Amino acid sequence: MAIEKPHAVATIGPHRCGPGEPLLLIAGPCVIESADLTLSIAESLAAMSQRLSVPVVFKASFDKANRTSADAFRGLGMDEGLRILEQVRDATGLPVTTDVHESHQTVAVGQACDLLQVPAFLARQTDLLVACAATGRAVNVKKGQFMAPGDMKHVVGKLVAAGCRDVLLCERGTFFGYGRLVNDFRAIPEMQALGVPVVYDATHSVQEPGGLGGATGGRRDMVEPLARAAVAVGVNAVFCETHPDPDTSPSDGPNMVPLDRLPALVERLLVIRAAAGV
């Protein structure tokens, strides 16, 4: 019997991500703060998508279950958050994605979203991966900050064995001492060699975990340099959180790109991708 393999080109709603396909952008605010703000950001991203002819998947989390402090804002909860994401998809036509943290969430998320995202700290959680696969949706797994790129072959194997062949892996930095992440860009071709598209998370890669004491800090000014490097290496998609006023965001503000600056950043990435010939 033939051994199932992942699709080299993953399908996410109307979009395709992988070799020979356009650079995909996964973008949106870190957390859903309100319906109005979320829809406003999504409309801006949809307009950018049309103007630049770049495929966009809208991302926002209904729950940030791994916040540094117990007092930190986590989101609006699954029911309200998924309702807002469905509104986004209906109003803008953008496919949508969000984080899943527990196996019991996957059925509802799979009904509302085109792509399920597994956070880096949960990349090894077999039951969660199997539950994600059972939805029939594409699954994007962030490489644990504690994992080598080659270790992600086991993540791919678990998903494929459970029936998911639209698998994406995401590079988002590696622990380097306390409160600092670094990127080894060899991770991109090494994970692509597993037969799946690779996403580069440009905003979480600049995090400084716990850097603000009770919250995560970050270096927003480093987002574009790292994203440029990833695109030059040949990454298939870029993940970039964005917000109209990141400094007022209740989650990950120091890492996010101001919404009005994102189109110019994406244009520069597209120039690099064209020059790289990938």
Side-chain angles (χ1 to χ4, degrees):
M1 188 172 71
I3 299 175
E4 293 289 338
K5 295 182 179 181
H7 295 142
V9 175
T11 298
I12 305 152
H15 301 328
R16 288 165 57 83
C17 179
E21 301 295 334
L23 182 70
L24 179 73
L25 178 67
I26 302 174
C30 179
V31 67
I32 297 173
E33 299 174 45
S34 70
D36 288 345
L37 178 61
T38 303
L39 187 56
S40 174
I41 295 171
E43 288 171 342
S44 295
L45 293 174
M48 182 190 71
S49 175
Q50 287 196 335
R51 183 171 68 83
L52 299 181
S53 297
V54 60
V56 173
V57 175
F58 181 81
K59 179 271 168 186
S61 298
F62 61 79
D63 178 25
K64 301 302 293 183
N66 58 351
R67 294 301 306 275
T68 302
S69 169
D71 298 327
F73 176 75
R74 288 180 51 166
L76 301 183
M78 186 168 70
D79 292 344
E80 179 67 5
L82 294 182
R83 185 185 67 80
I84 291 170
L85 288 172
E86 288 179 320
Q87 287 183 338
V88 165
R89 184 166 57 186
D90 291 344
T92 67
L94 296 177
V96 296
T97 186
T98 195
D99 296 308
V100 288
H101 296 91
E102 300 182 58
S103 300
H104 70 81
Q105 298 173 337
T106 58
V107 172
V109 174
Q111 292 172 347
C113 296
D114 304 272
L115 174 69
L116 280 68
Q117 180 170 284
V118 177
F121 288 144
L122 301 177
R124 290 170 54 97
Q125 295 299 104
T126 302
D127 290 346
L128 179 59
L129 295 173
V130 170
C132 287
T135 67
R137 297 293 195 179
V139 181
N140 177 30
V141 184
K142 293 193 173 185
K143 179 178 73 64
Q145 302 94 323
F146 46 87
M147 295 174 68
D151 293 339
M152 294 300 283
K153 66 183 178 184
H154 302 297
V155 172
V156 175
K158 292 175 184 180
L159 286 167
V160 172
C164 178
R165 297 180 67 194
D166 289 311
V167 178
L168 300 92
L169 298 180
C170 182
E171 163 62 22
R172 51 94 70 236
T174 301
F175 286 136
F176 182 73
Y178 297 110
R180 186 81 181 264
L181 299 171
V182 296
N183 285 112
D184 178 355
F185 286 101
R186 293 177 297 182
I188 292 172
E190 287 177 4
M191 290 195 293
Q192 286 172 330
L194 301 176
V196 298
V198 173
V199 182
Y200 179 67
D201 183 342
T203 41
H204 289 98
S205 287
V206 303
Q207 278 185 335
E208 295 175 349
L212 299 180
T216 291
R219 289 285 306 274
R220 186 182 305 146
D221 59 312
M222 290 290 107
V223 170
E224 182 167 347
L226 293 177
R228 289 184 179 191
V231 171
V233 168
V235 80
N236 305 109
V238 172
F239 177 105
C240 190
E241 288 185 338
T242 185
H243 190 283
D245 185 5
D247 291 332
T248 66
S249 171
S251 178
D252 274 357
N255 315 310
M256 285 195 281
V257 175
L259 184 61
D260 61 355
R261 298 183 189 175
L262 184 62
L265 187 159
V266 172
E267 286 188 89
R268 291 189 286 271
L269 296 182
L270 294 175
V271 170
I272 292 170
R273 192 167 200 263
V278 297

